[in-house]
Amino acid sequence: MSVLLEIDNLHARVDNKEILKGFSLTINEGETHAIMGPNGAGKSTLSYVLAGREGYEITSGTVKFKGKNLLSMSIEERAREGVFLAMQYPVEIPGVATSTFLKHSLNSIRKHQGLEELDTMNFIKVLKQKASELGINQDMIKRPINVGFSGGEKKRVETLQMSILEPSFAILDEADSGLDIDALKVVAGGVNKLRNDKRSMLVITHYQRLLNYIVPDFVHVFADGKIVKSGNKDLALELEEKGYGEFIGNKY
Amino acid sequence: MLNNNLVKGYKDNIKSLSFSDNELVSKIRKNAFTDFINSGFPKAYDENWRYTKQKFLKEINFKTSNHISENFIEPELEIDAYHLVFIDGKFITKKSIIPNNVEIKSFKNLIEGDDSNLLKKITNSDFVKSSPLALLNTAYLENGFYINVKKDTILNKPIHIINYSDTADIFYNVKYYINIEDGSKIDLVESCYSFKNISYFNNTVTEINIAKNAIVNHYKYQNESKSAYHVCLNKVTIDADSSYENFIMQKGGLIARNETVIDVIGENTNTKTLACYMLKGTTHSDLTTRVNHHTPNASSEQTVKGVADDETKAIFQGKVYVARGAQKVSGNQLHKSLLLSDKAEIDTKPELEVYADDVECSHGASIGELDDKQLFYLRARGIDEELARKMLVEAFLDEVLEKMSNETLRQAFVSVIKRD
Amino acid sequence: MAATSQTKKTVEDLGDKYKYGFTTDIESETAPKGLNEDIIRFISKKKEEPEWLLDFRLKAYQFWLGLKEPSWAKIDYPKIDYQDLYYYAAPKTKEGPKSLDEVDPELLDTYNKLGIPLKEQEALAGVVAVDAVFDSVSVKTTYQKQLEEKGIIFCSFSEAVHKCPELVKKYMGSVVPYTDNYFASLNSAVFSDGSFVYIPKGIKCPMELSTYFRINARNTGQFERTLIIAEEGASVSYLEGCTAPQRDENQLHAAIVEIIALDDAYVKYSTVQNWYPGDKDGKGGIYNFVTKRGACRGKNSKISWTQVETGSAVTWKYPSCILQGDNSVGEFYSVAITNNKQQADTGTKMIHIGKNTSSTIISKGISAGYADQTYRGLVKVSPKAKGARNYSQCDSLLIGDKCGAHTVPYIENRNPSAQIEHEATTSKISDEQLFYCQQRGIEEEEAVSLIVNGFCKEVMKHLPMEFAIEASKLISISLEGSIG
């Protein structure tokens, strides 16, 4: 099994405040890791730093993705290399149809991979099929992306994007927030379908609930900018039972 | 222009003013008058005067008066406050109640105290020089105040500037110059009103400089005589971490124009300009507001609502200007109005001028009539039409009033509306 | 304006930003430089015009002499020397072309480069009829025959003067009188050519009519004049496209468009304006001072303006509707993009006169680089316009911190039953939106174009299909280099 992502002693700050304080994590191909932690621990910072969002200053540490230096890549280069961030709050872009958005996205990535760009006809065919698998109706893909979507619809569309873009590494940032149990099952089902022995995932969540549906290979407790404990899926249950305080002292 | 008595009769007019024998005052007046002659009245093509034909200024043929009226009727706004009382633009010391922790000097104090530097400062600002009517105001300099609120002063009661008009066919000018130092908090209220059906011309200029970390509420009630001309210019400068809230209730006058220019020169400021108008008869009301954001990180809000009935004309011109580099400014502006009569008119020009990209600016304007369905609903519950209309108008205006942060003063304004 | 620079730059060294920046090497016939009564007589004579038209021109000229160039718009450009311009330039041919074969091949080549379906067989499945105006002269109108069968007249303005003088005489200047404004007076004095459209009673024009304007000759002012008349129950969709070669000096374009819609008539007028905008330092480019106005004279008539303005160094343009007929409808959908040192002061006027008239204004302004853009609009409801309705929305997007975006709406209401709503916003492309696109692999510049196209969607959907695709590409091209 080869290493996909290797984060080593990562330090990062926002507005001069250190958020990541020596974060290390190695993810092999095909593995699903869960990161759990209290609010404010820096979970979202981690996902933004990996995706390359501006405004985060990396003060030390390295991140290797498929053996390459991830931190030196632009946002879109990372995406094209296979990093996908399913966002906690997907962004609304008025006037840009979901299908148009995804077509631009897919073709950008295909071009980078040396594949032929899909024409509209073929793209729509793929899109429709994947959408129906996720129970997303045809009207929705014509609507401007995320504009006026419910919480559940937004998360479904994020999952749809993942299934179309087929990333090698997906970060799911609070994938269950704002979802009722039925919507959660649909999203988790979609995610699980995408799991295979090549694709890795990093599931970031505050609650254990999601991990009943997306069962991780490893669970890490994240607090004060780094991983304080790692284990298998049982660790999540233990966390649920005892709360974060047990693991990270009474600070939280 | 020369046929106008304010201009042609200038030499005679100022003879009747106080302090005519004071050398400095004469010089200040003379210089301002020369500048005024050079600039002339506001021009017909001046965008600020687009909807108020400046022609009336040239046609007014009033004189100044040295008569001091003894008639005084208490203001409609009932508030517990310090009082600065003017009758026909003349300061009446004996009717005034002055706070002791604020430096308040009437022009008489300044002139007699030989405080020439202060006098020059007050009469010679860039703002005065740039505005014809402010120049005219200085050319007729006689009454007004210099108010200085010292650092960290918190005033327990509002200062109520009461400006009552009692004499017909006169022209008067008042000037307020107000300095608010760091960390102070004050409430200013102005009432301009008359209970007589007389004609006169009130030309008031107010300059307010707000230093850092101060909070100023500045409210005004305008209910001049139905035949009066009321032209009021306000210039406000706001420095860092301060808040300024302006509210105007505009009711009376034949022509009533209120122009406010706010310069925001420090970061983290909050500016609110609120106004409502309730126009009846033949009133022409012009509210013109301009907020200039020269510095980043600020918010400004303009909310104006009003109703125009009978043969009135209501004008709102509001502008938000964001200078190059003034990032992270939010400027929002809203004007909603109801046109209640076939012969009334509402003109509005909400304007944005933006030179910085990281801003959130918006404006909205709507003009409509009272909602038929709401009217029907009230009448169906047995409320007569007149009352139903009044209730709906009050509810409509309430959206502005509820934004006022001084609750006691807000109540006083609400009572005035209800009494109508 | 002075055409001092005589540098003859060829297309190759002009860079590739402006796709339409080629010049056409055609001998053109010009009137002497400058403006006076003799020049006007010359133009009129060249066109073999009747006496009444010459009179109209001369009256306009006399009126123009007494006018001052307007200065109220928020645009800033060097003084135009009206005596340093050519007022007439025509491609030199012996006679007017009788068929396509007689059209100068160089000219045809130009139109091919522009992507105009001038040759009928090349026309997009027969949907578009084209009148091409090259410099000041209408070159060729396609599909005339098919249109004539329906009684539709679609020809050059000069042709119409001879073909149907009574219509021209009746309607010309009835919407935009020669006294209207400085540039309209100038145009009325010196207009050279343009398009004429007449749709008879009850006829729905079976295809889109299109005019392609191109300024080619150096130092030439282009003053075309378009007149569209839709009789009772008639309808037509009219497209106007504009390009000009890249030149170091500025060129003046002062056009007039007049539309008349009678009872139940519908005219849809779409423009993609892509005149040369000047280079990134603001050198060269077209001065676009245009008066466009439609009169909804009949009841239930409708005039709809859609414009995508990406070109010109300076734009001064307010396509307007006078809603005279009861229940008439006016619409204005506009996208204006200014980049580099472009300036635009554009908007509309909706004048409500008839009962139950309604108007909609949707304006999307995008300002980038060092550009300055102003939306200026007037909604006026007269005392008799009972039940008038207006909805306006003006949104501005700023890209970069050196540009400006301004909104100046005037709303004047004198009827209590009118309902008027106006909304406006100014903002930038949010960092979140950009990040989201980039995280999905989309490059920044493409992301900006995608977001801007989304921002303009409400307007773009009103463009005819083939125009919309072109316009969408144009938006991307216009914004090139605006990021970073």
Side-chain angles (χ1 to χ4, degrees), chain C residues 93 96-109 111-112 116-123 130 132 139-143:
Chain C
T93 45
K98 296 246 168 17
S99 76
L100 215 58
D101 301 336
E102 283 181 34
V103 175
D104 192 321
E106 282 243 31
L107 221 130
L108 285 182
D109 195 38
Y111 286 115
N112 283 334
I116 303 169
L118 190 67
K119 283 196 173 180
E120 289 169 15
Q121 63 270 36
E122 288 171 0
V130 179
V139 182
K140 175 70 190 142
T141 308
T142 56
Y143 281 108

Side-chain angles (χ1 to χ4, degrees), chain B residues 224-241:
Chain B
E224 302 274 22
S225 146
K226 292 293 171 204
S227 311
Y229 301 92
H230 171 96
V231 176
C232 190
L233 267 176
N234 301 282
K235 165 70 197 292
V236 183
T237 307
I238 307 168
D239 208 339
D241 304 310

